[in-house]
Amino acid sequence: MMKYFLEVQGLAKRYPGPGGEQNLTVFENANFGINKGEFVCIIGHSGCGKSTILNILAGLDEASDGAVIMNGKEVVGPSLERGVVFQNYSLLPWRSTLKNITFAVRARWPDWSKEQVLEHSMKFLDLVGLKGVEQRKPSQLSGGMRQRVSIARAFATQPQLLLMDEPFGALDALTRGLIQEELLKIWEETHQTVFMITHDVDEAILLSDRILLMTNGPHAQVAESVSVSIPRPRNRTDIIHHPGYYKIRNHLVDFLVNRSKELTASAASDTTNTDNTEVSYDIHPVVVDPANDGSETAQQTQSKQAAK
Amino acid sequence: MLTSQRFRATVLSLVLLFIFLGIWEGLNIVPTDVAPKSEYELLMGGASQEARVPPPSSVIKLAYKELSNPFYDVGPNDKGIGIQLGYSLYRVLTGFFFAALVALPIGFLVGMSPLMHKALDPFIQVLRPISPLAWMPLALFIIQDSEASAIFVIFICSIWPMLINTAFGVANVRQDWVNVARTHELGSFKTALQVILPAAAPTILTGMRISIGIAWLVIVAAEMLVGGTGIGYYVWNEWNNLDLTSVIFSILMIGIVGMLLDLALGRVSRLVEYEE
């Protein structure tokens, strides 16, 4: 079996039921890995626990079961090695744009001189096209600009893993498109390892190497890992002409509209029948590659994976 | 449009002021004696009906006289208004300073730790509604110094709004910002200083503003009790002298100084305000 840079093993989140009743399981048996330099998106309906998974990876939340291993070490608590871009930007409103970045850079490299911190911060502000507004407060920036600051802050700390929680969810479609392209550009330059939550199928195809699909909660699972076999560099206008694009897109939409419900239902009946966590502990997402061969079955891919 | 409205408001304020002063002045007729003065009254200078609320004109005359020489000092019962106000301000600021020294750290503690909040809440709830002047006898007995007791009363009344607002502000810092601190591996001291303090600063400043307002209210009453110096003592002393003109003048000065204190803290709070 190949070693991933980040490994998620049997992750589960349960909340105690009211009055000592049965626990409410949001998701369980989440097993997946991310390679170094890979851009992975995760898609699923609201309530399937995507954000919880991301928060656990960030160290802001605790799993009820399972473990997260990064670089051979278990993830415990938040760390600068795992940067986060929050959906609501989470900039500190009393600091200027530049000071929001230097705040992060100084936390990352406490020994750096003032000039070093400033130069590094300006470099990343420039990278997201925000030179000239560095003295403005976040409240004086548009939503798109704020999210750019937030992205610059995360990239500036050069974490080993970058976590993005629906970073473009609050932006209008035009701005979203622009920032997606910017993000692509920065990613091509840095090859930062990214784990990102999104609701937008097209966004996921444009940005990621692999898309993880989650079934509906409660008892949600990471059911599929879809390879996006479209060569880079990509851009928004050309990618839709790639022959694999609609194969991938249709596969994702079909999953989200139809199969995400059915799979949850069957998984729920499975766990109630067997009542044995050890059996389900090993469920790995089915690997599919719709762009190359949509008809490939799960067994085949898994044996291929094993042969590697 | 905005400037013209401001201008019109100023004109209206002045008109209202002059109407008020005019009525006050107009109602102030020196009473004339109906009956002829008795021998006793003649002996006493005929001052029987002279006691009346003085007209604004004499208050203004006194204000001009007092304010043109505010710092004279000719013995314990005759000091300039500036000296009296200075004593009161000194007491208020000293008490307020020590209250801030105690209230801000405790407020932080209560705001950050739910355990401390639950543990300290009963004490705060019981101590808070006590009129600060009720502490006066105890303070006088324990401290055995009227000056320090007045400051203590200011201290005790300034604590609560500051403490409660600090705790509230600290407890309600947006979780997102705390998460930013956590993902950047800030220690608890740095988090408190770089994230929680600036986030809660506007709420804390509001508490300080309420505190200084209450402190200025209380100092007048406290100085009436302890006596000696201060604007409160001055009011009471002039009442004992039956000099109502001075009483009205000092009431006016209390209002103006209170307003200035509030304005000053308003300025400070504008420095720490932020827009989300």
Side-chain angles (χ1 to χ4, degrees):
Chain A
M1 197 175 155
M2 104 190 236
K3 223 32 185 147
Y4 284 110
F5 165 66
L6 174 98
E7 249 179 286
V8 173
Q9 297 172 344
L11 211 63
K13 183 74 183 179
R14 301 188 183 87
Y15 291 102
E21 277 178 51
Q22 211 184 350
N23 289 347
L24 175 73
T25 304
V26 182
F27 62 88
E28 56 192 355
N29 308 318
N31 292 290
F32 62 90
I34 298 176
N35 290 315
K36 193 134 191 99
E38 208 179 8
F39 198 124
V40 176
C41 276
I42 189 162
I43 305 189
H45 288 272
S46 301
C48 72
K50 310 180 291 287
S51 289
T52 314
I53 291 186
L54 186 132
N55 282 337
I56 293 170
L57 293 187
L60 295 171
D61 204 343
E62 273 176 33
S64 315
D65 220 335
V68 177
I69 291 153
M70 188 170 90
N71 238 353
K73 267 184 282 178
E74 188 170 0
V75 163
V76 185
S79 148
L80 278 160
E81 294 302 343
R82 281 163 277 123
V84 189
V85 174
F86 298 93
Q87 185 182 4
N88 49 13
Y89 329 130
S90 290
L91 300 172
L92 305 175
W94 55 89
R95 282 173 172 261
S96 68
T97 301
L98 178 63
K99 290 212 166 130
N100 262 287
I101 314 261
T102 56
F103 167 84
V105 174
R106 201 167 286 150
R108 182 74 160 112
W109 295 283
D111 306 330
W112 279 16
S113 71
K114 243 185 177 164
E115 293 75 35
Q116 237 174 329
V117 169
L118 204 67
E119 193 195 348
H120 187 81
S121 308
M122 284 307 286
K123 193 179 111 196
F124 279 86
L125 266 182
D126 197 24
L127 208 57
V128 295
L130 283 182
K131 235 180 185 166
V133 298
E134 61 266 17
Q135 294 310 330
R136 286 206 217 158
K137 295 275 166 71
S139 59
Q140 297 165 307
L141 300 176
S142 67
M145 287 163 116
R146 287 186 211 180
Q147 192 56 291
R148 283 195 185 101
V149 179
S150 177
I151 290 170
R153 179 175 67 183
F155 273 90
T157 56
Q158 298 175 339
Q160 295 199 26
L161 172 67
L162 180 60
L163 303 160
M164 302 176 96
D165 188 353
E166 272 193 72
F168 312 130
L171 303 177
D172 64 273
L174 290 175
T175 315
R176 193 185 310 162
L178 278 176
I179 304 191
Q180 282 168 357
E181 297 230 310
E182 266 166 27
L183 180 62
L184 263 184
K185 198 187 78 196
I186 303 170
W187 187 83
E188 307 277 359
E189 279 175 38
T190 55
H191 278 269
Q192 173 73 53
T193 313
V194 180
F195 178 79
M196 173 169 144
I197 295 179
T198 178
H199 273 128
D200 185 336
V201 170
D202 296 300
E203 178 175 285
I205 302 173
L206 174 67
L207 296 173
S208 47
D209 297 310
R210 214 143 49 80
I211 300 168
L212 298 172
L213 293 170
M214 283 189 85
T215 58
N216 292 0
H219 293 281
Q221 302 201 331
V222 181
E224 280 190 12
S225 160
V226 180
S227 304
V228 182
S229 307
I230 297 177
R232 293 179 190 268
R234 305 170 184 163
N235 68 59
R236 266 190 307 153
T237 39
D238 295 341
I239 194 171
I240 49 171
H241 300 306
H242 188 275
Y245 185 80
Y246 277 97
K247 286 186 192 165
I248 300 172
R249 195 177 192 284
N250 291 341
H251 182 87
L252 297 179
V253 172
D254 174 55
F255 179 92
L256 290 172
V257 175
N258 302 314
R259 293 194 295 129
S260 59
K261 271 177 285 194
E262 294 156 17
L263 284 168
T264 310
S266 64
S269 60
D270 275 358
T271 42
T272 41
N273 286 344
T274 56
D275 213 56
N276 189 343
T277 42
E278 271 176 52
V279 175
S280 50
Y281 201 78
D282 256 353
I283 298 176
H284 277 266
V286 180
V287 178
V288 281
D289 189 354
N292 288 330
D293 188 0
S295 61
E296 204 169 21
T297 64
Q299 276 73 23
Q300 280 171 326
T301 28
Q302 272 183 333
S303 57
K304 264 189 186 176
Q305 191 80 0
K308 275 188 206 171
Chain B
M1 185 61 214
L2 213 80
T3 47
S4 88
Q5 192 181 38
R6 200 172 177 159
F7 175 72
R8 282 186 295 171
T10 313
V11 171
L12 190 61
S13 293
L14 287 174
V15 168
L16 287 173
L17 179 70
F18 279 112
I19 291 175
F20 173 71
L21 291 180
I23 293 173
W24 178 6
E25 185 81 45
L27 289 177
N28 249 280
I29 316 148
V30 183
T32 42
D33 288 333
V34 187
K37 287 187 171 78
S38 65
E39 208 168 324
Y40 175 74
E41 281 168 341
L42 284 172
L43 210 65
M44 298 301 290
S48 65
Q49 297 296 321
E50 271 295 302
R52 61 190 170 109
V53 176
S57 52
S58 46
V59 175
I60 291 167
K61 238 179 278 163
L62 178 80
Y64 179 75
K65 196 186 114 221
E66 285 282 345
L67 290 176
S68 53
N69 183 19
F71 296 109
Y72 73 92
D73 186 356
V74 284
N77 276 331
D78 196 5
K79 292 186 204 305
I81 188 81
I83 290 180
Q84 304 288 23
L85 285 169
Y87 274 113
S88 298
L89 274 173
Y90 154 74
R91 286 176 190 138
V92 163
L93 293 179
T94 312
F96 180 79
F97 174 76
F98 284 112
L101 230 51
V102 173
L104 298 186
I106 296 181
F108 244 83
L109 195 66
V110 171
M112 286 184 91
S113 145
L115 174 75
M116 290 309 283
H117 177 77
K118 287 204 180 91
L120 290 180
D121 196 49
F123 297 102
I124 296 172
Q125 295 309 332
V126 170
L127 292 174
R128 191 173 60 111
I130 297 172
S131 164
L133 291 172
W135 292 98
M136 188 61 101
L138 198 61
L140 284 170
F141 176 75
I142 293 173
I143 306 172
Q144 308 225 331
D145 177 73
S146 64
E147 176 72 28
S149 299
I151 292 172
F152 173 79
V153 167
I154 294 304
F155 165 81
I156 206 89
C157 79
S158 302
I159 272 188
W160 310 116
M162 268 195 272
L163 199 162
I164 288 163
N165 266 48
T166 304
F168 180 82
V170 167
N172 287 288
V173 170
R174 287 234 320 249
Q175 188 57 38
D176 297 328
W177 299 335
V178 180
N179 281 346
V180 168
R182 290 178 66 197
T183 53
H184 287 89
E185 288 184 42
L186 293 195
S188 37
F189 184 69
K190 272 193 171 169
T191 304
L193 215 63
Q194 295 188 8
V195 177
I196 293 177
L197 183 63
T203 322
I204 295 174
L205 254 294
T206 306
M208 294 176 103
R209 218 168 150 181
I210 298 171
S211 276
I212 204 124
I214 293 177
W216 189 246
L217 290 181
V218 168
I219 193 64
V220 174
E223 284 170 346
M224 284 180 178
L225 279 178
V226 296
T229 47
I231 191 72
Y233 166 74
Y234 180 78
V235 173
W236 201 247
N237 195 36
E238 296 305 329
W239 162 239
N240 286 335
N241 294 341
L242 276 180
D243 183 356
L244 281 178
T245 318
S246 290
V247 169
I248 294 172
F249 168 65
S250 49
I251 286 174
L252 203 65
M253 290 312 290
I254 292 169
I256 288 170
V257 172
M259 182 187 75
L260 291 177
L261 280 175
D262 190 61
L263 273 180
L265 269 174
R267 279 280 161 81
V268 179
S269 71
R270 221 176 297 158
L271 291 180
V272 300
E273 255 162 31
Y274 57 83
E275 210 179 316
E276 267 184 52

